């Protein structure tokens, strides 16, 4: 009797798993669509709730909507936990943590009151849309991008370190040249200005007033305008390489030609069988 | 007698079609040039009409010019409709819709009065200049660009989705850190700021005041400055690939495999001589 | 007697030509260096003369310096004209025009008084520094860049036309949405704003105030941030192609291999003489 | 006895050298970590000391910390000098100069008082973090970047010269068009504006007010937006080339030609069999 019950439970577990994680069954597709709408709606509620005049008007609506989504996502979390093949692994996986973080703030707000910082945690729900985007071709394309980023990671680290040092040195120079009387009140603030200028953002909340300061600013801008070529060059080269078809390292037993196209069965120089 | 008349009509239709769509005959070229000037002039009128002191001075001139161009484009639309080989298809084609939209607002303004929104529709006339640009070599180059965009579309979707999520998370973080007292009045407005900063536009209408906010802004700028490499890398790789010399268009006489590496003498699938 | 004089004149002409145009003789090198300094100094005078408090203090110094350089460049122009192998061609060449324009404003100011617009013409003298930069390797590198720009010219024209249309449509939309009450006083000014935003410059002299306007601005920024990939991709692909070593279109008379490395004398597949 | 003492000294010298320069021994690793922390802490002190309200509160703490780090780095400098295989070379090497400059300002401030300019020199200490980053793979990646920059140096010089000239001409044009009444008070300041606009920084401290000025600004922006493709294209092409698989390292047994195309069986210079 117990075994049968266990079987039924396992069967239920499998069914839930297929609906939640799969995309092939009609129910699985429906689940994904409903989840996507729920995520978007709950994030919209968090965002609109921060607009003062909307909160004054629809405050209670937002409050109940928030709790509705929290309970919905809690049920979903429990179902995922129940149906996961390896529960511990799920809880500590990236999406497991995101799933938990998307419901936790609401419960915490009951204890600690409406702490501001919980809003940011709530907005992380938006990361869950990547979950639904399980389409194979998209994942493959994202894989290409990730591979290019991974292989260029060391070059990019060198670039970033140089960028940080450049910004620190430029910031100190402008601090000495312009000084507090022109708004460059301290080195950290001047480094902030150097970053704003080097990255070509250019808010204009601080800008040099002295001729020498403007000349140095010109140097910073020209540098920023030019060295953007570096990360772009790194990433483009890596991506181009990862997308280029590689020759297979096969040697023809007859003529010795090394390197053949993927899928070649015969040598394209002498016609001998490659015996692959 | 009726048949002859029908023939004359068909003949007229063909002649008009050649003049309107063709670029080879002197009349066809003249038509294109006149149309180009008319489009530019009519768009200039719409633009200048929006400048207050010009409207006060030349208001009536603009009014009559607008109606002159409307009637001109209406005649052109009717001629195109008349001479089109497939009329229904023309009406619902991209340029058919644009052609109609470029005359409709003026007629609608008779009924509804000078509705503001009609101005935008009127300015869409400018899209019709692409019509005149029927030069073959330009179309081919545009085709290269379109092909590269199409094949990189999935990668770019992944990139855009990440961009939107990044902006939402950065916006929420800065909202919590800076708060309404520093101008970050709501999450939507803070997301607007994050977009302004990440894309390195940097209006400066909102800028962080607290040290922590300035540090986060520095992070957002550095991120924006670096990840511009991603769309550039994607597009460059795809464009380089679409411009790279393809496989040679040789068919194997034995197995029929089409496309072989440059210099291949034997089919690399069946080993048969390619007789090149 | 006359012939000899003509010979002497020709000899003088050749000597001057070698000094002015050549870079190999010590005198030729000295001439280049003196000219470079004179150009830089004369441009510096024009620039500093525009600073009010410097003009008040050193006005007469600048005045005499300007005439000193004008006379110097006039002598140089006459010498170039005298020593040019083909005088008409020199006068109408790019550098011939620039040389003339660099002395003309001073003489014209005698007739018309200190016309503002002559300043811009005077500053064009700076173009003459390219004259001195006759180093072979630099010219070759500039040639690479020019070749890449030339071959990508049609693609870039398509891109620019799209950019102009995009800016016009975005500008009209924001004009209707924001309107004169938020600073978007006319369509031309709104197009200016759209350009400032799309190119990620972002002065902040105009910025959207309404939520819908800020949303549209977000779209414009994202577009501008992404489509910068297009000109970069075009130019990079063309430059990479122009720098890639091409295979020579030679067929081996023995084995028929098509395409050999530059400078190859023998087929690298069968070892047969290529008879090039 | 003297010899032994000399031996002991040499032994000590070697041991210190291994600890300071090496990364393989536990003591060497510890030394690197301590140094990294000391550099970061000393730079943080210089930065925080420039913030007025922090200086008022912790001024004496910063003062003693500064002297603590100065003495620490002085000891380190003397140890490096003592253990260097070639002392003169070390003193005049890049890092030798940086090491000296990181302690000199504090001693100079004893003589000259707290001179502002010494702050910038002090912040150069941050360059010493590159010292610690001796990891082989990072150095190799940095080498790739440096190689690409070196080979593209001439192209980039041509680009920069064009950029400077462009900015000077655009600046002069806008000065004449807008004039001092709209904030463009002199040509140097207008060149500063042209740089701010061309590099897409866009502070907004100066912006054109007249329609013609705004049209010219639009041209400058479009130019800046497009020609960023040039340095990016240059660097990307060079980097891609430096990462591309090179010729195979095979020497012809007959004529000695080194480096042949992938798959070559015969030397393409003399036709001799390569025996691969």
């Amino acid at each position: 009797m117990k075994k049968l019950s266990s079987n039924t439970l396992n069967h239920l577990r499998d069914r839930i798993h297929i609906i939640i994680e799969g995309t092939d069954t009609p129910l699985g597709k429906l689940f994904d669509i409903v989840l996507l709408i729920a995520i978007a709606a709950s994030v919209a509620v968090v965002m609109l709730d921060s607009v003062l005049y909307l909160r004054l008007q629809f405050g209670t609506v937002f409050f109940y909507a928030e709790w509705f989504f929290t309970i919905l996502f809690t049920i979903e979390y429990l179902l995922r936990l129940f149906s996961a093949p390896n529960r511990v692994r799920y809880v500590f996986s990236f999406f497991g943590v995101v799933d938990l973080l998307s419901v936790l703030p609401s419960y915490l707000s009951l204890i600690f009151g409406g702490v501001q910082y919980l809003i940011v945690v709530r907005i992380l729900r938006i990361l869950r849309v990547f979950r639904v985007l399980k389409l194979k071709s998209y994942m493959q394309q994202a894989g290409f991008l990730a591979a290019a980023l991974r292989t260029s990671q060391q070059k990019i680290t060198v670039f970033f370190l140089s960028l940080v040092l450049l910004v620190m040195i430029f910031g100190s120079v402008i601090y000495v040249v312009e000084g507090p009387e022109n708004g460059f009140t301290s080195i950290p603030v001047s480094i902030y200005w150097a970053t704003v200028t080097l990255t070509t953002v250019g808010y204009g909340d601080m800008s040099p007033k002295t001729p020498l300061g403007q000349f140095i600013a010109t140097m910073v801008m020209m540098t920023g305008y030019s060295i953007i070529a570096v990360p772009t060059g790194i990433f483009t080269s890596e991506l181009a390489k990862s997308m280029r078809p590689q020759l297979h390292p096969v040697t023809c037993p007859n003529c010795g030609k090394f390197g053949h196209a993927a899928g070649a069965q015969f040598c394209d120089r002498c016609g001998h069988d490659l015996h692959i």
Side-chain angles (χ1 to χ4, degrees), chain A residues 30 41 59 84 93 99 117 120 122 136 145 169 180 205 217 226 244 250 271:
Chain A
L30 185 70
S93 72
D99 288 350
Y117 298 95
V120 182
R122 248 174 220 158
K136 211 185 152 197
L145 296 182
I169 291 167
D205 51 351
S226 307
R244 206 173 293 152
V250 179

Side-chain angles (χ1 to χ4, degrees), chain A residues 10 13-14 17 21 77-97 99 131:
Chain A
N10 273 337
R13 209 168 131 174
D14 286 357
H17 189 71
E21 297 289 342
Y77 182 70
L78 295 176
L79 283 179
R80 280 189 196 274
L81 195 65
F82 169 66
S83 72
N86 185 335
R87 278 165 199 167
V88 178
R89 208 161 136 192
Y90 165 68
V91 169
F92 292 102
S93 72
F94 175 71
F95 278 122
V97 172
D99 288 350
R131 252 230 144 98

Side-chain angles (χ1 to χ4, degrees), chain A residues 41-268:
Chain A
S42 78
V43 168
V45 164
V46 173
M47 279 168 58
L48 296 177
D49 191 38
S50 75
V51 183
L52 193 66
Y53 71 87
L54 288 179
R55 183 205 281 258
L56 292 176
Q57 250 187 303
F58 306 105
T60 28
V61 178
F62 292 153
F63 179 81
Y64 287 116
E66 177 58 36
W67 276 107
F68 170 73
F69 290 121
T70 300
I71 290 162
L72 199 79
F73 293 151
T74 309
I75 295 168
E76 186 215 340
Y77 182 70
L78 295 176
L79 283 179
R80 280 189 196 274
L81 195 65
F82 169 66
S83 72
N86 185 335
R87 278 165 199 167
V88 178
R89 208 161 136 192
Y90 165 68
V91 169
F92 292 102
S93 72
F94 175 71
F95 278 122
V97 172
V98 169
D99 288 350
L100 186 62
L101 283 178
S102 70
V103 294
L104 218 59
S106 301
Y107 296 117
L108 286 178
S109 71
L110 286 181
I111 312 172
F112 301 108
V115 186
Q116 277 279 317
Y117 298 95
L118 296 176
I119 291 174
V120 182
V121 181
R122 248 174 220 158
I123 217 108
L124 286 179
R125 276 176 195 161
I126 197 75
L127 286 174
R128 303 177 71 220
V129 302
F130 276 121
R131 252 230 144 98
V132 182
L133 205 83
K134 277 170 293 198
L135 290 160
K136 211 185 152 197
S137 59
Y138 280 92
M139 292 315 266
Q140 197 188 327
Q141 298 300 323
F144 268 125
L145 296 182
L149 281 176
R150 216 174 308 117
T151 50
S152 60
Q153 178 250 327
Q154 286 194 323
K155 280 201 200 74
I156 284 178
T157 304
V158 171
F159 171 73
F160 253 92
L161 198 60
S162 313
L163 210 64
V164 169
L165 261 61
L166 219 56
V167 159
M168 288 178 77
I169 291 167
F170 275 134
S172 306
V173 169
I174 204 82
Y175 168 70
V176 169
V177 169
E178 289 279 322
E181 62 274 20
N182 290 320
F184 293 77
T185 49
S186 68
I187 294 185
V189 163
S190 303
I191 289 174
Y192 164 73
W193 171 87
T195 312
V196 168
T197 303
L198 195 86
T199 57
T200 77
V201 170
Y203 284 136
D205 51 351
M206 295 163 71
S207 62
K209 302 283 177 291
T210 65
L212 183 58
Q214 292 185 335
F215 179 74
I216 291 165
T218 302
M219 293 294 104
V220 180
M221 286 169 215
M222 290 277 188
T223 308
Y225 188 67
S226 307
I227 60 172
I228 195 158
V230 176
T232 308
I234 294 169
F235 186 72
T236 306
S237 310
E238 291 292 348
L239 195 60
K241 213 172 69 176
S242 81
M243 283 163 59
R244 206 173 293 152
Q246 302 286 324
L247 287 177
H248 279 221
V250 179
T251 309
C252 172
N254 183 39
C255 74
K257 193 196 160 185
F258 178 79
H260 293 82
Q265 292 293 317
F266 294 87
C267 176
D268 67 358

